Amino acid sequence: MKSAVVQLPGLNRDRDMIAALTKISGKAPVTVWQTETEIPDVDLIVIPGGFSYGDYLRCGAIAARMPVMQAIKAKAEKGVKVLGVCNGFQILVEAGLLPGALMRNASLKFVCREVKLEVVNADTDFTRAYSKGQIIRSPVAHHDGNYFADAETLKTIEGNGQVVFRYAEGTNPNGSMGDIAGVMNTAGNVLGMMPHPENLIEAAHGGADGRGIFASALEVIAA
Ligand SMILES: NC(=O)CC[C@H](N)C(=O)O
């Protein structure tokens, strides 16, 4: 499976993402700069975390309007998998590829810690390596991770199984509605999540709980 990592000014988790994808798929992803209007033929596009455009206006708001996003939208419409992590999630929401909004953390503070995640939906292209209800560890590092959706949207995404991850065991770090940590689109090929699975994929990281997301998306789940 081939993958691409999107790069924009201010993103700082691109190298971690490239390392994770290379390690798990055995192939280095291609990198795509924000001004590019064509994305090579890949199976998975990842928008990593960071502080695109210094988080000015709103996290992800400027990045969402860069030319590369039109190319990502076109690929997503064709069914290519798209994963947005942290700032990548914020960008996907700002670009209208995912429902809801990410507001300032309820504490009004940047949070950088480990949380527990419940795999709410294990029947997705990104979570097949896990089982439904499985609890995994994951780091988080953000100040705008407080997921919000209006009542109707919330009902729809909960009903459709679009809520893929929830903060578990009282570890919600940001006040997100329904403890929502990750959501996907209705087609099931675009996933956004605030936690950073790329930072927990091998023993040197202190565990590999995040590996399953990439193994699922890249279809390299060990039999
Ligand atoms: N690690 C990240 O991607 C951070 C996202 C965003 N800059 C925030 O702080 O909310």
Side-chain angles (χ1 to χ4, degrees):
M1 284 247 143
K2 288 180 279 180
S3 60
V5 171
V6 179
Q7 293 182 307
L8 291 134
L11 291 185
N12 64 358
R13 302 296 188 108
D14 44 335
R15 292 184 67 159
D16 290 4
M17 196 57 85
I18 291 166
L21 291 164
T22 306
K23 204 147 234 170
I24 296 167
S25 70
K27 273 183 228 142
V30 292
T31 54
V32 181
W33 183 239
Q34 57 163 357
T35 50
E36 290 181 43
T37 50
E38 295 275 326
I39 295 181
D41 189 19
V42 294
D43 310 286
L44 170 69
I45 300 165
V46 184
I47 312 179
F51 301 80
S52 58
Y53 290 93
D55 287 342
Y56 278 96
L57 298 184
R58 284 185 311 274
C59 297
I62 301 176
R65 285 153 182 85
M66 288 299 132
V68 73
M69 290 312 297
Q70 290 306 324
I72 293 174
K73 271 188 196 168
K75 288 282 187 187
E77 274 159 24
K78 287 194 180 128
V80 173
K81 284 173 262 190
V82 180
L83 171 66
V85 168
C86 206
N87 201 204
F89 183 16
Q90 295 164 337
I91 294 168
L92 288 173
V93 164
E94 287 286 344
L97 272 92
L98 288 173
L102 289 149
M103 306 195 309
R104 186 60 39 101
N105 294 344
S107 64
L108 304 182
K109 294 203 168 86
F110 190 93
V111 290
C112 183
R113 64 172 82 127
E114 186 175 297
V115 297
K116 298 269 177 62
L117 296 178
E118 177 195 348
V119 182
V120 181
N121 187 348
D123 187 19
T124 81
D125 282 349
F126 301 92
T127 51
R128 265 180 235 302
Y130 302 107
S131 47
K132 184 175 165 58
Q134 189 175 340
I135 304 291
I136 60 170
R137 297 163 49 212
S138 185
V140 293
H142 58 255
H143 53 64
D144 281 46
N146 186 352
Y147 187 79
F148 174 86
D150 61 70
E152 200 178 319
T153 305
L154 198 61
K155 203 169 151 207
T156 306
I157 63 172
E158 292 278 6
N160 284 344
Q162 288 174 252
V163 174
V164 179
F165 294 106
R166 260 188 238 287
Y167 301 110
E169 300 178 6
T171 61
N172 183 339
N174 51 39
S176 279
M177 276 184 157
D179 296 322
I180 291 171
V183 296
M184 65 180 185
N185 63 346
T186 41
N189 65 318
V190 180
L191 171 70
M193 61 190 296
M194 285 313 290
H196 286 275
E198 75 278 15
N199 292 137
L200 205 62
I201 62 140
E202 56 185 327
H205 290 162
D209 285 19
R211 197 178 175 96
I213 291 160
F214 304 102
S216 302
L218 295 161
E219 296 181 19
V220 288
I221 305 170

